[in-house]
Amino acid sequence: MTGLVLKDIRKAYGQVKVLHGIDLEIKEGEFVVFVGPSGCGKSTLLRMIAGLEDITSGEMYIDGQLVNDVPPSKRGIAMVFQSYALYPHMTVYDNMAFGMRIAGENKEEIDRRVKSAADILQLGPYLDRLPKALSGGQRQRVAIGRAICRDPKVFLFDEPLSNLDAALRVATRIEIAKLNEQMADTTMIYVTHDQVEAMTLADRIVVLSAGHIEQVGPPLELYERPANLFVARFIGSPAMNIMPATVTATGDVTKIKLKDGSEVTVDVATPASEQGKAASFGVRPEDLAVATGDDFLFEGKVDIVEALGEVTMVYVQGPVDEESVVVKLPGIVAVKKGEVLRFSADKTKLHLFDAAGQTYRR
Ligand SMILES: Nc1ncnc2c1ncn2[C@@H]1O[C@H](COP(=O)(O)OP(=O)(O)OP(=O)(O)O)[C@@H](O)[C@H]1O
Ligand SMILES: [Mg+2]
């Protein structure tokens, strides 16, 4: 049985095209995270799955059933939004029970489901409270609890934690991870701007840009083998350093020349036709280190040092480009502004993209 199938899904508001043909299969019980820049169509896609937006063209199946014309209430879907709209005059218990009462569910079943949701989300002690007597994180948990009570086949989240402070985000993220374990058969689709949420919660991440899918895959696959420059820049924080380069030798490994004249060998194969062509060289901040020997990738002047305790971010003035290169060093490192340093890279973790921004395959 398949959870969800999207076939060439398109969306236009009048003349404005927002989604340009989304093809995606989501397995039953899978946790899929949508990421992408603001305005790329994440919420629109989620709302179309929920049935809150019309599908302009294409086909959507839930559990094998074509749902294009099925109303939201008949799709077996629950959605949790960024802003939790709780009824202020109702207790936590009643907020969670409300939907089931409207649906005419019997009292025992309502009580069983509310207690079970409260149990999962550790809301037991708050069932008699009004929303105003809860913290932001507790309120968002009530909103999630209300959705659990509907016993959905598919659970949709649109940036559910973005209104919470840092500590609450972490705590609630862990609640959602537990929820996902306990509701193993429930398919979950989750929109976020937060890298950590995407990397830790997802079975697969879908990277969207300007209304189309750039890449779909498990988090570490996207991190280690981004399909193109867009995904390379989007996954990982701080973003991958990208430097312009020229291909100087092709074959099983590729030699490139950076703007400062330095030559780098990258362990990817390129066809002879790439000889002399423009390319982009990529290296993640965490794959760079202060060079100990003569073998270094580049030399540069330290511009800014950010000591975060667990890591030290070093911004190096454009060794090969105008943009500064970011280096992420573990722990506390005694590096000073103005110092000229040499940096080496983990050779197995260099990235190379062709002139069109596609990754050369390893
Ligand atoms: N009702 C509407 N009429 C016209 N355009 C709309 C409408 N709703 C959304 N859009 C446009 O569709 C595009 C996608 O919007 P959407 O809300 O899906 O983006 P998003 O990826 O969720 O962004 P964010 O990360 O900021 O939440 C945007 O350019 C937006 O302006
Ligand atoms: Mg949105």
Side-chain angles (χ1 to χ4, degrees):
M1 184 161 43
T2 308
L4 210 80
V5 177
L6 311 188
K7 281 191 183 158
D8 197 24
I9 291 288
R10 290 166 192 269
K11 178 72 186 177
Y13 293 104
Q15 294 300 313
V16 186
K17 291 181 179 154
V18 174
L19 294 172
H20 308 291
I22 302 291
D23 289 298
L24 184 64
E25 286 195 19
I26 297 174
K27 287 191 284 293
E28 189 185 31
E30 201 176 10
F31 198 120
V32 169
V33 174
F34 292 171
V35 298
S38 186
C40 71
K42 304 178 296 292
S43 296
T44 304
L45 190 55
L46 211 63
R47 292 171 58 80
M48 287 165 88
I49 294 168
L52 302 171
E53 293 279 354
D54 291 339
I55 295 169
T56 306
S57 72
E59 291 167 358
M60 185 177 303
Y61 298 87
I62 298 174
D63 270 346
Q65 187 201 353
L66 183 68
V67 296
N68 285 44
D69 298 316
V70 174
S73 60
K74 299 264 159 61
R75 291 192 185 192
I77 280 178
M79 187 154 169
V80 176
F81 299 93
Q82 182 172 10
S83 52
Y84 28 83
L86 301 180
Y87 299 108
H89 58 286
M90 286 185 197
T91 63
V92 166
Y93 187 102
D94 290 340
N95 262 286
M96 292 205 274
F98 185 71
M100 289 183 283
R101 286 191 183 132
I102 295 288
E105 199 63 72
N106 74 57
K107 249 184 149 167
E108 291 73 39
E109 179 62 12
I110 292 176
D111 196 57
R112 191 189 64 75
R113 288 206 213 163
V114 169
K115 297 265 168 69
S116 148
D119 205 32
I120 292 172
L121 296 165
Q122 295 169 38
L123 286 168
Y126 311 109
L127 287 173
D128 296 328
R129 288 205 199 168
L130 292 174
K132 69 176 180 204
L134 298 177
S135 74
Q138 290 161 345
R139 283 181 218 177
Q140 189 56 300
R141 268 154 45 203
V142 177
I144 294 169
R146 194 170 55 182
I148 294 175
C149 286
R150 299 185 51 195
D151 198 16
K153 282 186 287 187
V154 183
F155 217 133
L156 308 178
F157 298 88
D158 195 352
E159 301 191 48
L161 309 185
S162 58
N163 281 338
L164 307 182
D165 70 37
L168 263 179
R169 280 186 89 121
V170 174
T172 316
R173 183 183 83 217
I174 291 165
E175 292 300 328
I176 290 175
K178 282 190 205 153
L179 180 69
N180 180 40
E181 269 180 27
Q182 292 175 34
M183 299 176 76
D185 296 337
T186 307
T187 307
M188 302 198 182
I189 308 177
Y190 190 102
V191 172
T192 184
H193 279 112
D194 186 293
Q195 293 269 343
V196 179
E197 285 172 28
M199 296 301 285
T200 57
L201 292 172
D203 293 317
R204 284 189 304 156
I205 296 177
V206 177
V207 182
L208 290 158
S209 105
H212 69 267
I213 293 179
E214 292 281 351
Q215 191 175 2
V216 181
L220 291 181
E221 186 178 307
L222 267 52
Y223 175 83
E224 290 178 332
R225 292 187 297 282
N228 54 45
L229 263 181
F230 183 88
V231 176
R233 282 204 180 97
F234 200 81
I235 299 288
S237 178
M240 185 187 287
N241 296 296
I242 305 289
M243 304 164 204
T246 309
V247 176
T248 53
T250 59
D252 287 347
V253 296
T254 305
K255 287 206 167 95
I256 56 167
K257 196 179 220 171
L258 301 179
K259 280 243 175 97
D260 67 349
S262 59
E263 284 232 315
V264 183
T265 303
V266 186
D267 185 18
V268 296
T270 44
S273 57
E274 294 298 296
Q275 179 71 33
K277 290 202 177 147
S280 297
F281 170 66
V283 57
R284 294 197 180 277
E286 54 273 34
D287 295 332
L288 287 164
V290 177
T292 46
D294 285 343
D295 188 15
F296 62 94
L297 187 63
F298 63 79
E299 187 178 77
K301 194 171 178 185
V302 174
D303 198 15
I304 297 170
V305 180
E306 293 176 341
L308 303 177
E310 58 158 344
V311 292
T312 303
M313 302 290 190
V314 181
Y315 295 77
V316 184
Q317 248 168 32
V320 289
D321 198 7
E322 302 75 41
E323 279 180 51
S324 57
V325 172
V326 187
V327 182
K328 189 179 192 176
L329 302 171
I332 300 163
V333 186
V335 171
K336 288 205 176 57
K337 182 182 165 75
E339 239 180 293
V340 175
L341 289 176
R342 289 173 171 182
F343 296 91
S344 60
D346 181 337
K347 290 228 165 46
T348 63
K349 292 177 178 166
L350 304 178
H351 301 261
L352 193 61
F353 309 88
D354 68 15
Q358 296 300 308
T359 304
Y360 289 115
R361 286 281 154 220
R362 269 175 217 284

